[in-house]
Amino acid sequence: MQLVILACLAAVAVAAPQQYHYYDRPDYRHIAILRDEREDRGDGNFRYEFETENGIQVNAVGTPGSKGQSNIQGFYSFPLDDGTVAQVSYIADEFGFRAESPLIPTPHPLPAHAIEQIRIAEEQRRQGIVWD
């Protein structure tokens, strides 16, 4: 009976899920932080900057917003595989999150005839014309 219990415990131990850590990967390499500066004034104003040895940079400044939110303005950049550096600037405030970067896709511009149709429709709305 003791042998059966021991065999069951051994089976449970072997079947237990194994934990996987990203640093267990063979391609894992520790990246050193070259600079890490943080300031929190305790009144909703803060700033932080950091830079890593592989070229990642982050910078942000925060202030209290008019509607109780934190307004944050900053940027982050990182190296791409082709050797160029990607940079994204952003603002987050009561109007939402807005990011700017050449990497962010933009919609194609409207053709001239579509812009003209929109102008005509707006003019008709101003004149009170209503379509069913």
Side-chain angles (χ1 to χ4, degrees), residues 18-68:
Q18 303 296 313
Q19 285 191 332
Y20 174 77
H21 299 283
Y22 64 92
Y23 49 79
D24 290 334
R25 294 176 39 165
D27 62 341
Y28 174 78
R29 181 174 75 86
H30 178 76
I31 304 298
I33 305 295
L34 302 177
R35 183 168 50 97
D36 185 352
E37 298 175 13
R38 302 166 195 238
E39 179 183 350
D40 183 355
R41 297 186 189 144
D43 60 357
N45 292 289
F46 65 90
R47 72 169 199 80
Y48 61 85
E49 295 182 57
F50 71 84
E51 181 179 358
T52 64
E53 71 176 322
N54 65 345
I56 297 172
Q57 293 185 355
V58 177
N59 178 308
V61 175
T63 58
S66 62
K67 298 182 180 182

